[in-house]
Amino acid sequence: QKGKFILRNLPKTEIDYSQAVKDISEYPTNAADYYEDCRDLLDSIKHSDAAESPDVLWDLLQNLIVLAIPTLKDLYEVADLEYDSYDYDMDDPYQYYEELCSEVYQSCMALMEDADNTLKRKIFGWALSYIDTGNDEQFDLVLELADAAIMDEQMADEYLACMDRIITNDDEWDDAQVRLAIRSKVLCLKTFGRNQEAIRIVKDNQHDLDMRILLIEELIESGDYATAKKLCNRYLQDAGAYSHHRTRLMQLKLRISDLEGDPESQVESRKQFFLHSRDISHYRDLKSFCPKELWKKCSEEIEAALIEDSMREHILAQVYRENADYGKLLQLLAKKKGLSELHLSFGAEAAKADMDEFL
């Protein structure tokens, strides 16, 4: 049984959850054991009388952010440095760090939904103080916590002032954190109806891809679809081939085409989005949406694009299977010497079953 702090045998009413985080963080063993201890704490509090007290849960989450997450990060960094002594057949310690961050984040957001105003103000004050002291561990999480706790304009002003301190002292923060502070400021301003201030900031920061996306969203909301589409096409030239920003820009382009209602534009946007995403569900969406008179040309263009890119042949195989075009699928499999080379990690057995029935 992993972990030195085992909660399963302790009466739930006798556990001091905040102290428990300090105890397990004092002499951590390895990433896997430490992660299980933290998970035990989270699971235990959800099944105890303390679950009825959001304040107790918040004390635990606060200590997990301040102590547990940095400790787990240190454990995986040490393992990474001591390459020779680390057994790489074991689970990647970074996996545990990511999972704990995700679970703490989800627990915090769930807590915010049930928190009363007093607790929200407490969390808000803690989050701003945490940021102001220069802590950058889990910066995104703490920033979202503060944002979710805002209830009135006074709190919004405090939040905006905190964002300004980050933006104006950008030499003390990572570039990504400064960009996030700018984006958070814009969204807060829009939430409280200060749209002109928000738009001015967006226009002043068009070198930032997040700001470009916010500008396009603003143009769509105002009904200026032509300018929004023009900017989408321009900014797509700067976005990485498989980046989050490219995906978001293509989603916005698809949204614009739907709002304009031009069938050819709608089909083209869906086609490009499928070729970008490589997700067969988007192919199904395209096929069900596309008018019959446009489908032949569209499907031929998709096939040609997938044939041209050898890295997408596994997608081409899925398309052939989707269309029950087993003749072409068999030719492709013969060329690639079977299913394994096509990396059909999902759907391979189903495809084989389909072909067996076909043959």
Side-chain angles (χ1 to χ4, degrees):
Q1 194 172 27
K2 293 182 177 180
K4 70 180 182 66
F5 186 87
I6 303 302
L7 296 168
R8 297 181 182 89
N9 299 324
L10 294 176
K12 300 294 187 276
T13 54
E14 295 181 11
I15 299 172
D16 182 339
Y17 292 94
S18 298
Q19 183 60 44
V21 179
K22 298 173 186 176
D23 290 343
I24 64 173
S25 302
E26 189 173 358
Y27 300 109
T29 51
N30 59 60
D33 289 358
Y34 186 78
Y35 168 71
E36 284 208 14
D37 286 340
C38 294
R39 275 293 306 272
D40 276 348
L41 282 168
L42 270 172
D43 290 343
S44 179
I45 199 171
K46 291 173 184 176
H47 299 93
S48 72
D49 294 338
E52 300 176 6
S53 173
D55 288 275
V56 174
L57 176 57
W58 166 241
D59 286 342
L60 169 63
L61 291 170
Q62 178 181 331
N63 276 282
L64 287 173
I65 295 170
V66 174
L67 286 175
I69 289 176
T71 300
L72 194 51
K73 185 178 181 181
D74 289 342
L75 285 171
Y76 90 72
E77 286 180 344
V78 168
D80 212 32
L81 287 171
E82 297 177 356
Y83 184 93
D84 294 335
S85 64
Y86 178 63
D87 181 1
Y88 272 82
D89 291 332
M90 295 172 60
D91 292 335
D92 179 1
Y94 184 68
Q95 163 196 338
Y96 297 112
Y97 171 75
E98 285 193 315
E99 288 182 5
L100 181 62
C101 290
S102 174
E103 287 161 16
V104 169
Y105 171 82
Q106 291 172 13
S107 298
C108 283
M109 291 304 115
L111 171 65
M112 289 300 297
E113 293 179 6
D114 299 326
D116 59 22
N117 290 354
T118 301
L119 180 56
K120 282 186 177 180
R121 290 186 186 279
K122 179 180 179 181
I123 294 173
F124 180 77
W126 174 86
L128 293 193
S129 297
Y130 183 89
I131 293 170
D132 276 337
T133 55
N135 284 301
D136 60 0
E137 185 65 48
Q138 285 301 292
F139 179 85
D140 298 11
L141 165 60
V142 176
L143 201 58
E144 286 209 39
L145 264 177
D147 179 66
I150 297 174
M151 295 180 292
D152 53 46
E153 290 196 21
Q154 180 181 345
M155 294 176 75
D157 286 338
E158 292 179 47
Y159 179 81
L160 291 170
C162 181
M163 297 306 98
D164 284 337
R165 289 192 289 274
I166 296 170
I167 296 165
T168 55
N169 295 294
D170 55 0
D171 57 326
E172 299 178 11
W173 298 91
D174 290 344
D175 183 55
Q177 293 167 339
V178 174
R179 292 201 310 271
L180 182 57
I182 295 172
R183 183 176 185 277
S184 300
K185 180 178 180 179
V186 168
L187 294 175
C188 183
L189 287 169
K190 290 184 69 176
T191 298
F192 284 87
R194 295 159 66 173
N195 293 330
Q196 292 306 312
E197 291 178 68
I199 292 171
R200 185 174 65 252
I201 295 171
V202 168
K203 289 182 176 179
D204 289 344
N205 290 275
Q206 286 191 56
H207 59 280
D208 185 298
L209 288 172
D210 286 329
M211 292 297 104
R212 293 177 177 183
I213 288 170
L214 285 174
L215 177 59
I216 293 169
E217 290 174 341
E218 187 67 34
L219 289 167
I220 292 173
E221 288 179 19
S222 66
D224 190 351
Y225 304 142
T227 305
K229 185 190 293 184
K230 181 179 178 181
L231 290 180
C232 269
N233 290 331
R234 182 191 302 171
Y235 296 153
L236 276 168
Q237 297 174 14
D238 300 329
Y242 300 108
S243 68
H244 160 74
H245 293 107
R246 174 170 287 275
T247 300
R248 188 72 188 106
L249 287 166
M250 295 187 82
Q251 288 172 333
L252 288 171
K253 193 173 178 182
L254 177 56
R255 181 183 169 196
I256 294 166
S257 67
D258 283 345
L259 288 168
E260 289 181 325
D262 175 41
E264 290 193 17
S265 177
Q266 289 173 291
V267 169
E268 180 63 22
S269 295
R270 281 171 169 77
K271 182 188 78 176
Q272 293 300 329
F273 191 58
F274 162 65
L275 291 173
H276 164 72
S277 70
R278 306 182 179 192
D279 185 334
I280 198 67
S281 67
H282 296 144
Y283 179 82
R284 294 177 187 134
D285 173 61
L286 167 63
K287 188 175 181 180
S288 65
F289 176 86
C290 186
K292 289 184 179 179
E293 63 273 15
L294 298 177
W295 178 243
K296 184 176 185 297
K297 178 175 179 284
C298 180
S299 61
E300 288 174 350
E301 290 172 348
I302 288 173
E303 183 179 16
L306 293 175
I307 289 173
E308 186 177 345
D309 186 349
S310 61
M311 297 297 293
R312 297 187 184 184
E313 286 182 326
H314 62 296
I315 307 297
L316 181 60
Q318 292 181 41
V319 168
Y320 286 153
R321 184 200 166 207
E322 193 71 24
N323 296 327
D325 196 341
Y326 300 119
K328 288 184 177 179
L329 181 55
L330 285 169
Q331 290 176 7
L332 181 60
L333 292 176
K335 173 185 172 186
K336 300 303 292 186
K337 301 177 183 178
L339 285 166
S340 60
E341 275 196 52
L342 287 170
H343 307 295
L344 288 176
S345 57
F346 59 92
E349 291 302 320
K352 186 177 184 303
D354 287 347
M355 285 191 295
D356 287 344
E357 183 179 346
F358 168 73
L359 293 170

